[in-house]
Amino acid sequence: MSAADLGMLQRPNDRLRRRRAVNRGMELLAWLAAAIAVAILGIVVWSVAKRGAGELNLDLLTKPPVPFAIGPVQQGLANAFAGSLVIVGLATAMALPVGILVAIYVNEFAPRPIRLGVGLTLDVLNGIPSIVIGIFVFGLLVVGHGQKGWVGAFALAVLMLPLAARSMIEVLALVPGSLREASLALGVPRWRTTLGIVLPQTVGGVVTGTVLAVARVAGETAPLLFTSSIVGNQTSWNPGHALQSIPVAIFELSEQPDPADHARAWAAAFVLLLFTLFASLSARWLATRSRRKIGRAGR
Amino acid sequence: MSTVGATGEAARRPFPGRRARLGDVLLQGVAGLAALGAFVLICLIAYKVVDGSRLSLSTFGLGFLRHVGWDPVHNRLGGASFLFGTAATSLGALLLATPLAFGIALYLTELAPRWIRGPVTALVETLAAIPSVVIGLWGVIVLGPVLRDHVMPALHSTLGFIPLLGTPSATGTGIFTATFVLTIMILPIVSSISCELFLGVPAELKEAALGLGATRWEMVRGVVVPYARGGVAAAMILGLGRAVGEAIAVAQVIGGVDNLVSWNLFNGGNTLAGKIALEFQSSTSSLETSSLFYLALILLVFSLVMNVFAQVVVRRVARRQGLVAR
């Protein structure tokens, strides 16, 4: 056998080795990308926890902020916590029923082209930047009337609507057709079938969808900047006035030069982060569970 | 989904009495109105934003888009620096996030063992759940100083001949920091869509490639990537839309410099959304407020175009893949 022949035999092996090396390298890069994403999450959560947990105490939740405080005054953010509860609660009350109705229309009544049209509408609505929603609500309700808590809630509801409707559509689509058919075959009219048979099947889904949407909008700052941010320091539960909220408070405190303000910003951020992470993780867990349950009901 | 539609057709005309029919009509009417309401809402948003920017539109016209500087005292306002800042930060973020997202999707769909896949997917999506104001706070107090003290000087001293990497900023805020923050914020959406696309590639094709002796990477390059290409483009567009519209986190870390178009990424700047967030409450004249509406109008038009385009692409890809058109 000549040297050239040997070379010919050798070459495929070399090539295979190179291909394997490239494959290895690419797999390593992919692994690295995933590791980076998880690491970023870890770093953000850890640095918020490290700075926020120490500052967290009951005064933060119960005491109002004191402007121009002299001496060691215990400052809190009670107004922001109360305001966020009111605003997000109201927003949910506005967005959820409409979202459910939209989903019912899409799943139970709409012909196919309209169904696709509504889907596209929801996607487009979901894609509009939240700051533009804020400007829109400012132009619609704030100009000439002033900022109010319920106006901020309306802005958040606009953000919530596509989220709530989307998740409801998904859950309704999971309800087995056989349930509807059985009910209709017994002579139950369509509206009672929908409200009495189909909708109760989706309670779990409604809860998860709502929790996810709440978690998403509870941290929204941009729509509230123009609709409910010029506020006093006393704690108020009245949505007829402008209410402070946690995200807006964090945003304003982070712009301040005083480290004590930063400390409160971290504490509030820690609370907000705990809430959103807990809500979204538990919603994920609930979602897989209720999906399994609805699927079983059909069989 | 098709079975639901079929029962719908069959049951559209049940024969119970008038009350039942009234109930049906009522529910269909109310639900239909709600769906119509979503559409009307978009029209209303468009109308209000155009209405608010009318004064600025008639004063500046399209020249607004070319003028650099924001001088409300002399009524000389322009959006060019914000357009530049938006383009620089979002495209930069997309450039950083896309390969990362691609790698994550690759890892999660092809490489990761089953028990790792679920938790890591959940973690990446949890990244999307962090409120933007928290990321911004972290960006301005933790990330900014780290970039200023370590990353920026290192990049400047090694690659300083590139005009993009000029003198590091003194504060740690700026276009560069904003790009990083935006990368973190769009990473989850791009990677989760890419994951879905990669999962949609038929197993037969992948197995055929592996069966012919391709390595896993060659299989991905030859089968998965061409198959998912259109969808990845859509994922990038959606990520871009998210980056362009992000206001709060950017406002916190970009430094809020209004009259600068500079190729040095370490300089401060501002974006369309960031400018609105920072300036809205302190707007002094109706012309300035109207100009902020003008900036919002630019954002709105951009987001509408991008979204419709991305949805059309996604739908076409989905149909081609034989998935259910959602």
Side-chain angles (χ1 to χ4, degrees), chain B residues 234-274:
Chain B
M236 287 170 67
I237 294 169
L238 286 177
L240 188 66
R242 184 66 55 88
V244 166
E246 176 51 43
I248 294 303
V250 169
Q252 280 165 295
V253 300
I254 202 164
V257 178
D258 290 342
N259 45 14
L260 192 65
V261 173
S262 147
W263 289 111
N264 181 0
L265 295 182
F266 300 144
N267 277 337
N270 216 341
T271 68
L272 297 166

Side-chain angles (χ1 to χ4, degrees), chain A residues 16 19-20 22-23 26-34 36-38 40-41 43-45 47-48 51 97-98 101-102 104-112 115-133 135-136 138-140 143 147 154 158 161 166 169-170 172-173 175 177-178 180-181 184 187-192 194-195 215-216 218-222 224-226 229-230 246-248 250-252 254-255 262 265-266 269-270 272-273 276-277 280-281 284, chain B residues 1-9 11-12 14 16 19-25 27-28 30-42 44-46 48-49 99-104 106-108 111 118 120-142 184 187 212-218 241-242 244-248 251-252 273-274 276-278 280-281 289 292-293 295-297 299-300 303-304 307-308 311-312 315 319 324-326:
Chain A
L16 191 59
R19 285 170 53 202
R20 284 215 178 113
V22 169
N23 184 46
M26 288 302 170
E27 287 187 3
L28 196 72
L29 284 181
W31 180 87
L32 205 65
I36 287 176
V38 174
I40 290 174
L41 177 71
I43 291 171
V44 173
V45 171
S47 50
V48 173
R51 289 172 174 78
V98 182
L101 281 173
V102 172
I104 287 179
Y105 182 72
V106 167
N107 266 36
E108 311 288 324
F109 294 107
R112 204 181 130 79
R115 203 190 309 157
L116 293 181
V118 176
L120 186 61
T121 305
L122 291 176
D123 286 340
V124 168
L125 194 58
N126 192 24
I128 296 178
S130 57
I131 189 107
V132 176
I133 304 281
I135 284 254
F136 152 68
F138 173 86
L140 186 72
V143 173
Q147 297 192 342
F154 175 74
V158 174
L161 175 63
R166 263 262 165 254
I169 289 173
E170 267 173 37
L172 275 178
V175 177
S178 51
R180 291 185 188 84
E181 284 157 19
L184 292 169
V188 180
R190 191 158 185 80
W191 67 277
R192 291 201 57 179
T194 303
L195 297 182
R216 167 74 207 289
E220 278 292 346
T221 322
L224 296 178
L225 274 182
F226 321 129
S229 67
I230 301 173
I246 303 174
V248 173
I250 298 174
F251 180 62
E252 285 170 353
S254 79
E255 306 268 285
H262 286 176
W266 283 112
F270 184 55
L272 186 59
L273 191 63
T276 49
L277 291 192
S280 60
L281 285 178
R284 264 185 88 87
Chain B
M1 207 131 131
S2 64
T3 53
V4 175
T7 47
E9 299 310 325
R12 188 120 320 160
R19 236 188 75 200
R21 211 175 307 139
L22 186 69
D24 284 359
V25 169
L27 181 63
Q28 181 168 8
V30 172
L33 267 182
L36 192 65
F39 183 72
V40 172
L41 196 58
I42 292 182
L44 199 62
I45 291 172
K48 268 292 161 193
V49 173
L100 267 181
F102 191 82
I104 293 169
L106 201 62
Y107 177 76
L108 288 177
L111 303 176
V120 172
T121 310
L123 286 177
V124 173
E125 277 173 28
T126 304
L127 200 52
I130 300 179
S132 56
V133 70
V134 174
I135 298 222
L137 178 70
W138 176 77
V140 71
I141 297 182
V142 180
I184 295 174
L187 187 59
L212 287 171
T215 63
R216 223 184 260 151
W217 165 245
E218 286 162 347
R242 184 66 55 88
V244 166
E246 176 51 43
I248 294 303
Q252 280 165 295
I276 301 171
L278 286 174
F280 210 73
Q281 286 179 350
T289 307
L292 290 168
F293 269 93
L295 297 180
L297 179 63
L299 276 180
L300 180 66
S303 78
L304 289 184
N307 253 288
V308 171
Q311 296 305 334
V312 168
R315 243 153 244 189
R319 204 168 310 139
V324 187
R326 273 175 294 170

Side-chain angles (χ1 to χ4, degrees), chain A residues 6-18:
Chain A
L6 266 179
M8 293 256 288
L9 280 177
Q10 212 93 56
R11 200 165 303 141
N13 255 336
D14 281 353
R15 253 189 40 199
L16 191 59
R17 206 168 298 143
R18 212 191 59 222

